[in-house]
Amino acid sequence: MDIQGNPGSMDKAVVQLLCDIKDDDCHIRFAAARTLGDVGSFDPVAQDALLDALKDKIWFVRLAALQTLRDIKPEPAIVIDRITPMLKDDHEDVREYAALTIGDLGHEAAPAAIPLAEALSDSVWYVRSTVAWVLGEIGPGARDSCSRLISCLNDDDSQVRLNAVRSLGMITPIEDTDVLLALEELASDKNQAEEVREKAHKAISRVMKTGDKIN
Amino acid sequence: MAKKVLIVDDEEDVRTYLGSLLKNNGYEISIAEDGEEAFLKVGEFHPDLITLDIIMPNQSGVGFYRRLKKSEEFKHIPVIVVSGVTAYKDFFAKDRGGLPKPEEFVEKPFSTENLLGKVQTYLK
């Protein structure tokens, strides 16, 4: 079926890839998942096949499907419904890429803010770091994640702390004194890396400026 | 003394091909089949350069790269990512990870001259 729903008129290449994405060989499934983005990006059947491939038992097939979906940009509701659960995938690269894909939605990713905030407790530092960064992309709609982002200010990894600070500056409303206090504490903490303190100062300035505009 | 290259790839064909290519051009090589093994080899072999696949069992190339570049001892080692999927460049955006990007990306299938040229650039 093609995009107009005409059976039999679908591109032969897409038909083949739709078979390949269910092949027994995971490398063929992987290649099909990546190639579908090139030839079947506007075909809803291809998109459905990619969404099904998100449940593949092999992590790199799931990742390939995710990457292709990120390229073809499904509707925000589809991303939220189908990709948010992947923040709990078994493989760290898949979890990180799921966060990035959700982050592409910007403020439209607000419904995923809570699951993202939960992912700030991921065991892998670079997943936490990317999730912290993505929450900032959502902006004020991720306000419910602030308390978890504040917890990240004590993360063992400096990049997680940096991204948490950056995002707090992009999310926090001026009336949220708890966050501002946490940022001020961080900005004056001599034990923190220079870069982290500097970012905290910038985040505070950003919050204050946003508040000025509102007032 | 010959410069040392660590080849990290889960595909035997690629390891064999790259290994022969680099040996024939005067480099000493060591191989690893996944990110976990690669990190152990880095400590034992002390490579001057690493060629890195991304999709591998256990720890992926992404995980290995980040671990390497966070290590004070090994972060200076140049890395050439050799992957069939260019989308992996997304993983190395500095804004999020805070780490430098790999020195080079080479897409599979690669040409001998292209890869060798890049290796030679970093191992002069």
Side-chain angles (χ1 to χ4, degrees), chain B residues 13-31:
Chain B
D13 291 350
V14 176
R15 293 197 303 269
T16 306
Y17 177 72
L18 260 179
S20 303
L21 175 72
L22 294 171
K23 266 189 199 170
N24 292 341
N25 281 277
Y27 298 107
E28 185 181 343
I29 61 135
S30 181
I31 58 168

Side-chain angles (χ1 to χ4, degrees), chain A residues 117-139:
Chain A
E118 286 166 3
L120 289 170
S121 308
D122 198 283
S123 59
V124 176
W125 73 267
Y126 58 80
V127 179
R128 298 197 301 280
S129 171
T130 294
V131 168
W133 184 84
V134 161
L135 282 163
E137 298 301 294
I138 300 176

Side-chain angles (χ1 to χ4, degrees), chain B residues 1 49 53 65 89 108 120 122:
Chain B
M1 207 162 85
L49 181 140
D53 186 20
Y65 178 82
K89 287 182 185 178
K108 286 181 188 170
Q120 285 164 344
Y122 292 96

Side-chain angles (χ1 to χ4, degrees), chain B:
Chain B
M1 207 162 85
K3 296 277 187 182
K4 296 176 178 179
V5 180
L6 174 63
I7 299 165
V8 187
D9 204 303
D10 65 324
E11 287 180 70
E12 193 180 351
D13 291 350
V14 176
R15 293 197 303 269
T16 306
Y17 177 72
L18 260 179
S20 303
L21 175 72
L22 294 171
K23 266 189 199 170
N24 292 341
N25 281 277
Y27 298 107
E28 185 181 343
I29 61 135
S30 181
I31 58 168
E33 295 181 22
D34 63 46
E36 289 290 346
E37 189 188 359
F39 207 77
L40 293 173
K41 287 278 171 78
V42 168
E44 293 165 8
F45 182 64
H46 292 278
D48 298 299
L49 181 140
I50 297 169
T51 68
L52 178 66
D53 186 20
I54 295 296
I55 291 182
M56 297 180 292
N58 303 320
Q59 190 179 60
S60 72
V62 175
F64 166 77
Y65 178 82
R66 288 173 174 167
R67 200 171 161 194
L68 182 86
K69 292 295 172 181
K70 281 225 152 196
S71 154
E72 283 302 319
E73 196 179 351
F74 304 124
K75 68 181 182 186
H76 65 282
I77 302 172
V79 174
I80 299 178
V81 172
V82 183
S83 171
V85 186
T86 48
Y88 290 116
K89 287 182 185 178
D90 293 357
F91 274 116
F92 301 104
K94 191 169 185 292
D95 283 352
R96 292 191 317 275
L99 299 173
K101 287 183 181 177
E103 276 68 15
E104 297 284 352
F105 289 90
V106 174
E107 201 171 343
K108 286 181 188 170
F110 52 83
S111 82
T112 304
E113 295 78 18
N114 182 27
L115 184 76
L116 202 54
K118 289 184 190 301
V119 170
Q120 285 164 344
T121 301
Y122 292 96
L123 295 183
K124 275 176 189 167

